Amino acid sequence: MTTILVTGGTGTLGRLVTERLRDDGHEARVLSRSAQPYAVDLRRGGPGLDTALRGVETVVHCASSPRGGDEEAARNLIAAARRADVAHLVYISIVGVDRVPFGYYRSKLAVERQVEESGLGWTVLRATQFHDLVVTFLAGLAKSPVMLLPAGVSDQPVEVSEVAGRLAGLALGAPAGRVPDVGGPEVRTLDSLARAYLRSTARRRPVVRVPLLGRTYGAFRAGGHLAADRAVGKVTFEEYLSGRFGRG
């Protein structure tokens, strides 16, 4: 039995990683800001982090926030992992962090660099956006009477449970460095995803494609966030919608 700490273990991805590891008979500790007995804010670190890492062989680092603080959290985690003689640090990142000049992506890339230079055994997996996140994005746009989408942008949503399974497998293996990306089964235009979402939620909205400006938009439009050559996911967006909303 391996002792593994999952940061962000109460989140969408971390919760599933924890479940997979426990189902396989391993001790999986959950670290988050509120989960006892390992309630720790990684941005602050402190003695609680050292306690959570005591006896841990592998860390799966899922904790992340678009609101900032990821780089500071990674510094604290890596320093504590060194003190605890952790053998393996597994980090989940995002496809395109080195190609799309989006603030959150830049932060994820910076954490990748910290992991690589940590002196620990490490593995980094990049994945395309989860179905859940795409739905959250589209639900926000659907609040308006007209659904405005950035023109010419596609996405490649992947099922979060598939990424969780891959992460759990990596956590149980030897450090592997940067491993092949995980992408969803289909590259889809945003408007096709939006129309599928509207059908599944029985909403009616005009869908309008709006051209935008800027380097970040240009990078998304060029597909910098896609992994068409790594379309290894199985669950399609429609299958996810059917399971979540119960409509064909």
Side-chain angles (χ1 to χ4, degrees):
M1 182 179 72
T2 304
T3 301
I4 301 169
L5 178 72
V6 181
T7 73
T10 59
T12 301
L13 175 63
R15 175 177 51 82
L16 294 177
V17 172
T18 301
E19 290 175 1
R20 292 292 184 94
L21 293 170
R22 288 175 175 170
D23 287 345
D24 287 341
H26 301 281
E27 180 188 350
R29 299 178 184 174
V30 171
L31 184 144
S32 75
R33 284 176 292 179
S34 58
Q36 297 295 338
Y38 305 114
V40 176
D41 186 338
L42 282 175
R43 295 170 299 181
R44 298 179 181 177
L49 181 54
D50 292 312
T51 299
L53 285 165
R54 191 170 298 130
V56 166
E57 300 163 63
T58 298
V59 173
V60 182
H61 186 28
C62 298
S64 184
S65 174
R67 293 185 293 275
D70 279 12
E71 294 171 57
E72 184 178 7
R75 280 193 294 271
N76 291 332
L77 177 63
I78 289 168
R82 286 174 179 158
R83 292 193 295 270
D85 292 323
V86 168
H88 189 188
L89 175 58
V90 182
Y91 179 57
I92 181 66
S93 190
I94 305 171
V95 170
V97 291
D98 53 346
R99 299 190 296 261
V100 178
F102 181 50
Y104 180 50
Y105 281 28
R106 286 173 169 165
S107 180
K108 296 287 284 186
L109 181 62
V111 173
E112 283 189 16
R113 299 290 180 260
Q114 290 185 54
V115 170
E116 292 168 9
E117 298 166 4
S118 66
L120 303 168
W122 61 274
T123 301
V124 170
L125 172 68
R126 292 179 182 176
T128 55
Q129 301 295 342
F130 301 151
H131 292 308
D132 312 64
L133 182 60
V134 174
V135 164
T136 298
F137 171 70
L138 294 175
L141 295 180
K143 292 178 181 178
S144 175
V146 177
M147 208 167 179
L148 303 177
L149 300 173
V153 176
S154 296
D155 211 337
Q156 190 181 354
V158 67
E159 172 57 35
V160 64
S161 63
E162 296 177 336
V163 179
R166 178 70 173 132
L167 270 183
L170 291 169
L172 297 174
R178 169 82 186 281
V179 297
D181 299 342
V182 171
E186 301 174 313
V187 175
R188 301 275 299 274
T189 62
L190 272 186
D191 59 304
S192 78
L193 295 172
R195 294 180 195 282
Y197 168 77
L198 291 171
R199 285 194 300 271
S200 292
T201 56
R203 297 186 183 188
R204 294 179 180 271
R205 297 284 189 280
V207 176
V208 177
R209 296 181 292 275
V210 180
L212 303 175
L213 299 173
R215 291 177 58 224
T216 299
Y217 168 63
F220 278 120
R221 182 163 181 159
H225 60 305
L226 305 177
D229 60 336
R230 291 294 303 163
V232 296
K234 304 299 183 185
V235 179
T236 67
F237 191 59
E238 277 78 7
E239 288 169 339
Y240 167 81
L241 292 172
S242 178
R244 178 164 174 177
F245 299 110
R247 292 175 178 271

